[in-house]
Amino acid sequence: MGTDMVLQLAILVLTLGIFFVLHKYPRQALNKIRTRGRSTAQANRHFINGAQLLARARSVRNRTTAANLAKDAAVEADKALAFDPRDAAAHILKALILDLMGHKSSALRSLDTALSSAAAKSLSGSDRGDALVKRAELQIALNRKRRVESAVVDLEEAVGLSPANSKAYCLLGVCYEMKGMKEEARKAFEEAIRLEPRSDPARQGLNRLAT
Ligand SMILES: *[C@@H]1O[C@H](CO)[C@@H](O)[C@H](O)[C@H]1NC(C)=O
């Protein structure tokens, strides 16, 4: 098996891992952002309903039930956005719902809106960092080669905003690896392991670089 193929396989495994994590987007992050940037009580109510429906959609096993809950969650997110189209948190919620529904391109567009200059003011630094990591994940998942440059830009900003984000360093390592920047990749994987010693993807990354 050539190095190229090993790398492809590693990326695939990491991407699958990412989807697992994506579906369990830090709930505390959602709880945190829901308290900020609400322009009206009604928008707030729809946002909370949407976040709760999303949490239920993620936890139920029955796929039909999950799909219906996700649809209901999307309706709530849209209602929240109707009250306040510049609410970054509601756009992030919508992105997470779309991702769960398998609409990754649309999820990416919602994150683009959340991170655009018009909406971004309502996000704290670490929330922006989380959203950037998520956008980079989607970019890599959707089209690794073409979007690796923009994923790197997002991740470099993300590790500046939330320097304790092990996953961001690990993804950055993979991106550097794809670009052939081995030394930078090694440093990123090492940082990921320093932050989260049990990170398998980061260890596997270091092993790939060592061969
Ligand atoms: C999932 O839920 C739907 C609707 O409630 C039901 O008709 C279906 O039989 C369930 N499927 C499984 C596999 O339990």
Side-chain angles (χ1 to χ4, degrees):
M1 207 156 55
T3 4
D4 238 33
M5 223 172 131
V6 174
L7 184 56
Q8 292 289 317
L9 202 65
I11 291 163
L12 181 70
V13 170
L14 184 62
T15 309
L16 292 176
I18 286 162
F19 285 151
F20 185 69
V21 175
L22 266 177
H23 293 165
K24 309 203 293 180
Y25 184 81
R27 197 168 298 172
Q28 68 273 27
L30 268 184
N31 288 337
K32 202 151 48 87
I33 55 183
R34 81 164 56 152
T35 57
R36 264 195 295 275
R38 299 279 85 71
S39 64
T40 69
Q42 270 167 312
N44 195 27
R45 186 166 53 78
H46 289 301
F47 180 90
I48 290 169
N49 286 348
Q52 283 171 348
L53 286 163
L54 173 64
R56 280 174 59 203
R58 282 171 170 167
S59 61
V60 296
R61 295 214 168 179
N62 185 321
R63 281 170 166 263
T64 314
T65 311
N68 287 334
L69 286 167
K71 252 184 242 163
D72 294 345
V75 169
E76 293 293 330
D78 284 337
K79 283 182 183 165
L81 284 169
F83 282 107
D84 185 359
R86 290 188 170 190
D87 182 2
H91 284 291
I92 292 174
L93 175 64
K94 185 77 190 288
L96 299 173
I97 296 164
L98 288 167
D99 179 52
L100 185 68
M101 295 168 93
H103 306 316
K104 306 224 176 285
S105 302
S106 309
L108 192 54
R109 279 195 294 276
S110 284
L111 281 178
D112 285 343
T113 310
L115 291 164
S116 69
S117 52
K121 283 190 288 288
S122 56
L123 280 186
S124 74
S126 66
D127 290 340
R128 180 176 172 80
D130 288 345
L132 285 165
V133 174
K134 182 152 297 301
R135 183 164 74 176
E137 289 169 351
L138 284 169
Q139 284 170 335
I140 295 169
L142 279 167
N143 192 329
R144 306 192 287 263
K145 286 220 167 66
R146 195 156 55 83
R147 299 184 204 252
V148 67
E149 296 296 338
S150 46
V152 166
V153 171
D154 278 358
L155 291 167
E156 284 176 345
E157 187 186 343
V159 297
L161 288 167
S162 26
N165 192 331
S166 166
K167 187 153 59 98
Y169 279 104
C170 191
L171 268 176
L172 193 52
V174 171
C175 288
Y176 286 145
E177 208 181 343
M178 285 196 270
K179 284 160 62 80
M181 298 162 68
K182 292 195 170 186
E183 188 51 29
E184 288 83 354
R186 191 181 56 75
K187 281 186 191 150
F189 287 135
E190 281 173 356
E191 188 60 22
I193 289 171
R194 194 182 66 75
L195 292 166
E196 195 188 324
R198 294 191 309 165
S199 169
D200 280 340
R203 289 197 180 282
Q204 286 157 8
L206 277 186
N207 288 341
R208 282 196 302 279
L209 292 171
T211 56

